[in-house]
């Protein structure tokens, strides 16, 4: 089934196997003088590619004529590993896909399993999930801001972005004990109620952070170099983005207000009042503005979450799915049996297939789970937004300068852990 | 999601447009509507559905090992007008699996189809660039198939390079 026997070709020739013929032919509609094309590799190890992304770039002078993204360098077979774990042990695996938006991976996976189990999630758990998701969105966008500004020359942003992200990570540490990859969401709810003091600390952050955002905007928006590198670069028509299935801030920056939180609300998102920022032109500047504004909207959601936090349990009381409370183990025989069953075998999920999409910081993050009735999933597939959005990258970079290509990668915000899984 | 009646109506509509044999079944579970389609008819069915379902949200491959036909490919369609989702599913055997590409209808399918080829070995006829995407180009086997073993892959490090003499000549 493999076309030809690849092992018959010597290694050094196979290394050059990406088909260059298509790249060497002139792009239709461009004037070519003397066929002066130059094909170079950018990456896989390049500081501005946000991970191990390899770009095969065809240059004519300083103009980019074609780009081919080559991925797979951090493919670790997470989806394959998931098939060997009990349902609740898959959560830490999927978290490590898109490693900046780990709550979103957990959320998509947990919601899919809950759908297969027909397991309702208590209102308090839904609110806690939303609060953490939106804080994670801020953390993810802050890290994007830090690295993207670094790419276009604003070096100190790396420290500023990470400094504010640390406030969010402190909150994660308080609620779950971990700063990254928290495993906080469980099937049926969340692992633990938020501790005393969490709400106050979150409110401190809500109060503190808009001022910082104003500073960042002032620093970047009034920076002649930054604005010149952002305005009018990397424009892709909105129709083309829709064709390519691009979602998230990239699509919204082009003026298409598609956001699953509004369009198909899940986990009580319809209880909150927030706006969807959209751009007008769809250039890199709009992408930057949309993400900055999204952080403000996320703050609004977190605040409403804290104000309206319902009372009640934070995880389902279905003992077949969720662990019994610790204190019951010493007194209740049944709790002990359930605990033993869950920890050794895990719960069984009735056969079926489900696909649940949510809105991650990068677009539609969908999780597809096939269950064969056992306690391990038969297939876990994640539709990662970075993976799909990367297809739009050649369109963004084509017929621009090399410097604009760097700016476009920064504004594309690809997470290679999510692309390669 | 269309409810089960809506799903039957869609199926009826597709049968009229594409042919009686194109649809092999409909399933409605967990509020998810699934249209099961004959593998050869995938392209025709999707082009009949395209006006109503303008967005291909995702494309998955999966392996139902003990069952036959073994492999499954799922097309997650989305309409942003009526805010609805529909799953189109097809089943093919693991011997020389071939499907028509849908990249001409939904250009977003390009990477997805490459991933399904990479992981399950399903060849999409007419795909502009049918190569592996995540695994190395010279890789043999399709790792997401359920009979593909976990682990056992020799990983090359500096410390064990001498145990794999002239690995680069292979």
């Amino acid at each position: 089934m493999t076309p030809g026997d690849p092992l018959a070709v010597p290694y050094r020739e196979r290394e050059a196997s990406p088909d260059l013929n298509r790249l060497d032919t002139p792009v239709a509609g461009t004037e070519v003088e003397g066929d002066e094309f130059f094909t170079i590799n950018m990456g896989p190890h390049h500081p501005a590619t946000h991970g191990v992304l390899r770009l095969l770039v065809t240059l004519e002078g300083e103009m980019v004529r074609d780009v081919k993204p080559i991925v797979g360098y951090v493919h670790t077979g997470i989806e394959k590993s998931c098939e060997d774990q009990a349902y609740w042990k898959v959560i830490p695996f999927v978290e490590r896909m898109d490693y900046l938006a780990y709550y979103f991976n957990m959320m998509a996976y947990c919601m899919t399993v809950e759908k297969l189990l027909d397991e309702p999630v208590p209102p308090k758990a839904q609110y806690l999930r939303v609060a953490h998701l939106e804080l994670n969105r801020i953390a993810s966008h802050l890290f994007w801001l830090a690295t993207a500004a670094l790419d276009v020359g604003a070096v100190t942003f790396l420290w500023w972005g990470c400094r504010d992200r640390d406030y969010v990570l402190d909150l994660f540490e308080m609620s779950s004990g971990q700063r990254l990859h928290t495993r906080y969401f469980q099937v049926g709810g969340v692992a633990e109620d938020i501790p005393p003091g969490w709400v106050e600390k979150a409110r401190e952050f809500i109060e503190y952070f808009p001022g910082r955002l104003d500073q960042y905007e002032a620093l970047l928006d009034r920076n002649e170099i930054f604005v010149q590198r952002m305005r009018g670069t990397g424009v892709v028509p909105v129709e083309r983005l829709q064709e390519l299935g691009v979602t998230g801030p990239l699509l919204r920056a082009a003026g298409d207000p598609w956001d699953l939180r509004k369009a198909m609300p899940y986990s009580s998102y319809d209880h909150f009042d927030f706006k969807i920022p959209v751009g007008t032109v769809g250039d890199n500047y709009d992408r930057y503005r949309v993400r900055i504004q999204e952080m403000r909207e996320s703050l609004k959601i977190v605040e409403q979450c804290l104000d309206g936090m319902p009372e009640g349990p934070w995880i389902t009381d279905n003992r077949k799915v969720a662990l019994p409370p610790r204190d019951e183990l010493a007194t209740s025989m049944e709790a002990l049996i359930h605990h033993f069953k869950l920890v050794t075998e895990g719960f069984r999920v009735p056969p079926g297939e489900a696909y649940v999409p949510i809105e991650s910081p990068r677009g539609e993050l969908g999780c597809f789970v096939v269950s064969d009735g056992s306690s391990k999933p038969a297939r876990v597939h994640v539709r990662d937004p970075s993976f799909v959005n990367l297809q739009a990258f050649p369109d963004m970079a084509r017929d621009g300068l090399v410097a604009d290509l760097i700016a476009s990668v920064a504004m594309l915000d690809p997470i290679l852990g999510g692309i390669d899984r | 999601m269309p409810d089960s009646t809506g799903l039957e109506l869609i199926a009826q509509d597709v049968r009229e447009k594409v042919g009686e044999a194109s649809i092999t079944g409909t399933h409605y579970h967990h509020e998810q509507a699934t249209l099961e389609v004959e593998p050869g008819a995938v392209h025709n069915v999707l082009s009949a559905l395209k006006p109503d379902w303008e967005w291909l949200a995702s494309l998955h491959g999966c392996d139902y090992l003990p069952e036959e036909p073994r492999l499954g490919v799922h097309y997650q369609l989305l309409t942003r007008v009526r805010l609805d989702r529909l799953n189109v599913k097809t089943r093919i055997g693991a011997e020389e699996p071939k499907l028509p590409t849908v990249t001409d209808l939904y250009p977003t399918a390009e990477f997805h189809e490459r991933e399904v080829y990479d992981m399950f070995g399903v060849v999409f006829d007419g795909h502009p660039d049918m190569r592996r995407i995540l695994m190395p180009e010279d890789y043999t086997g399709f790792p997401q198939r359920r009979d593909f073993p976990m682990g056992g892959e020799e990983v090359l490090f500096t410390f064990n390079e001498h145990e794999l003499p002239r690995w680069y000549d292979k």
Side-chain angles (χ1 to χ4, degrees):
Chain A
M1 263 164 299
T2 324
D5 182 14
L7 298 180
V9 186
Y11 174 75
R12 290 294 164 198
E13 278 171 43
R14 266 185 278 137
E15 199 180 36
S17 55
D19 183 15
L20 298 180
N21 289 327
R22 238 168 47 133
L23 295 174
D24 288 341
T25 47
V27 180
T30 50
E31 289 291 316
V32 186
E33 289 173 18
D35 289 350
E36 282 290 315
F37 279 110
F38 189 51
T39 304
I40 57 160
N41 255 324
M42 214 185 104
H45 296 285
H46 188 284
T49 52
H50 292 243
V52 265
L53 170 66
R54 176 173 161 208
L55 299 168
L56 203 59
V57 190
T58 305
L59 300 174
E60 186 190 355
E62 264 212 68
M63 302 298 283
V64 178
R65 290 305 182 208
D66 203 2
V67 186
K68 250 189 169 183
I70 298 170
V71 297
Y73 291 93
V74 282
H75 174 68
T76 43
I78 296 179
E79 287 173 0
K80 182 79 178 174
S81 309
C82 290
E83 291 170 12
D84 211 28
Q85 311 295 328
Y87 275 93
W88 63 302
K89 291 182 187 167
V90 169
I91 300 171
F93 280 80
V94 291
E95 258 183 292
R96 278 151 180 80
M97 292 182 176
D98 187 342
Y99 43 76
L100 289 185
Y102 30 94
Y103 277 99
F104 291 88
N105 298 335
M106 274 191 275
M107 182 73 176
Y109 173 74
C110 288
M111 277 175 66
T112 317
V113 178
E114 281 152 14
K115 185 165 237 179
L116 285 171
L117 287 165
D118 283 322
E119 188 63 47
V121 180
K124 181 164 188 179
Q126 295 191 9
Y127 269 59
L128 284 175
R129 281 179 173 187
V130 169
H132 282 86
L133 287 173
E134 293 307 317
L135 283 170
N136 192 195
R137 191 185 305 275
I138 294 172
S140 169
H141 278 354
L142 268 174
F143 201 76
W144 155 80
L145 181 69
T147 50
L150 173 74
D151 283 350
V152 293
V155 178
T156 32
F157 257 93
L158 186 63
W159 285 274
W160 292 334
C162 289
R163 174 189 60 187
D164 289 344
R165 180 166 167 264
D166 257 26
Y167 274 79
V168 181
L169 297 188
D170 284 347
L171 285 168
F172 293 166
E173 192 180 1
M174 268 181 94
S175 61
S176 64
Q178 312 287 329
R179 296 171 76 78
L180 301 165
H181 306 307
T182 56
R183 204 195 189 287
Y184 184 59
F185 295 170
Q186 307 288 323
V187 176
V190 298
E192 192 69 70
D193 197 4
I194 41 174
W198 194 87
V199 173
E200 289 71 26
K201 204 161 155 55
R203 283 195 201 282
E204 264 174 43
F205 176 71
I206 292 168
E207 197 158 321
Y208 150 92
F209 188 55
R212 287 289 189 206
L213 269 182
D214 292 341
Q215 282 181 9
Y216 297 155
E217 269 187 306
L219 279 163
L220 290 174
D221 278 346
R222 296 184 202 161
N223 182 334
E224 184 69 24
I225 303 168
F226 181 80
V227 173
Q228 273 193 9
R229 288 192 67 178
M230 290 292 130
R231 278 236 166 103
T233 55
V235 187
V236 183
V238 64
E239 294 79 19
R240 179 72 183 146
L241 290 177
Q242 288 165 350
E243 254 179 33
L244 290 170
V246 173
T247 44
L250 291 174
L251 183 65
R252 293 195 282 274
D256 187 340
W258 176 248
D259 191 318
L260 287 173
R261 291 176 292 170
K262 279 275 190 215
M264 298 168 157
Y266 49 90
S267 189
S268 327
Y269 264 111
D270 45 345
H271 296 189
F272 307 113
D273 173 34
F274 62 101
K275 295 197 178 78
I276 305 298
V278 287
T280 49
V281 188
D283 58 357
N284 284 335
Y285 186 70
D286 275 349
R287 291 171 191 143
Y288 148 76
R289 295 292 308 176
V290 162
R291 289 199 177 97
I292 293 274
Q293 204 54 40
E294 265 182 24
M295 286 197 249
R296 293 185 204 278
E297 296 300 324
S298 291
L299 274 186
K300 270 169 42 186
I301 300 176
V302 177
E303 191 166 20
Q304 292 171 49
C305 248
L306 300 180
D307 289 342
M309 186 72 72
E311 294 287 313
W314 56 86
I315 192 160
T316 171
D317 55 4
N318 182 356
R319 295 274 184 267
K320 301 272 183 243
V321 173
L323 286 175
R326 192 78 210 167
D327 55 78
E328 274 183 29
L329 288 188
T331 51
S332 161
M333 182 70 157
E334 261 181 31
L336 198 62
I337 293 170
H338 284 312
H339 186 277
F340 179 76
K341 280 290 278 181
L342 274 175
V343 171
T344 50
E345 194 202 357
F347 50 83
R348 288 178 184 226
V349 174
E353 301 158 347
Y355 174 75
V356 177
I358 61 167
E359 185 74 22
S360 99
R362 288 164 195 86
E364 173 173 331
L365 183 118
C367 188
F368 175 73
V369 175
V370 178
S371 164
D372 55 2
S374 71
S375 62
K376 292 173 182 174
R379 169 85 168 127
V380 178
H381 179 252
V382 170
R383 183 254 194 226
D384 195 89
S386 306
F387 182 71
V388 184
N389 293 356
L390 187 67
Q391 294 188 77
F393 183 66
D395 286 69
M396 284 163 73
R398 201 170 286 144
D399 294 329
L401 293 167
V402 182
D404 294 342
L405 177 137
I406 302 285
S408 294
V409 180
M411 294 297 146
L412 181 72
D413 190 21
I415 297 299
L416 271 293
I419 292 175
D420 293 346
R421 298 181 297 270
Chain B
M1 290 293 159
D3 52 11
S4 44
T5 329
L7 178 64
E8 290 307 324
L9 290 174
I10 295 169
Q12 192 52 43
D13 197 35
V14 173
R15 279 198 187 104
E16 276 166 24
K17 279 184 192 156
V18 186
E20 201 59 40
S22 59
I23 306 252
T24 50
T26 53
H27 312 279
Y28 188 76
H29 292 299
H30 309 291
E31 302 159 13
Q32 313 242 339
T34 305
L35 210 58
E36 206 168 322
V37 171
E38 194 60 35
V42 165
H43 189 273
N44 293 342
V45 169
L46 285 185
S47 48
L49 289 170
K50 174 94 200 272
D52 284 340
W53 306 86
E54 76 280 0
W55 194 289
L56 179 72
S58 184
L59 199 161
H60 331 280
C62 53
D63 186 355
Y64 303 90
L65 179 58
E67 297 172 29
E68 280 297 333
R70 238 180 83 182
L71 301 179
V73 177
H74 295 245
Y75 301 81
Q76 299 285 347
L77 302 182
L78 162 71
T79 161
R80 302 199 304 157
V81 183
R82 284 169 286 118
L83 298 178
D84 233 348
R85 283 178 191 275
L86 175 71
N87 180 10
V88 176
K89 168 183 171 183
T90 187
R91 296 279 294 265
I92 32 173
E95 302 301 320
E96 306 246 341
K98 261 192 193 336
L99 277 181
T101 181
V102 295
T103 42
D104 50 335
L105 298 170
Y106 300 101
T108 174
E110 188 180 334
F111 271 22
H112 288 305
E113 287 184 349
R114 276 179 73 185
E115 191 191 339
V116 173
Y117 164 67
D118 195 355
M119 295 300 166
F120 295 95
V122 181
V123 176
F124 290 87
D125 275 335
H127 187 283
D129 192 16
M130 194 82 267
R131 285 185 294 122
R132 287 185 180 275
I133 184 165
L134 296 180
M135 300 304 288
E137 299 233 339
D138 52 353
Y139 198 78
T140 29
F142 302 107
Q144 281 281 1
R145 289 194 180 180
R146 299 223 68 184
D147 52 1
F148 192 91
M150 292 274 291
E153 179 82 11
E154 195 79 61
V155 182
L156 186 81
F157 293 106
T158 325
F159 74 86
N160 65 359
E161 195 176 354
H162 65 276
E163 290 165 18
L164 302 163
R166 298 195 68 77
W167 54 271
Y168 43 83
D169 279 348
K170 273 183 197 159

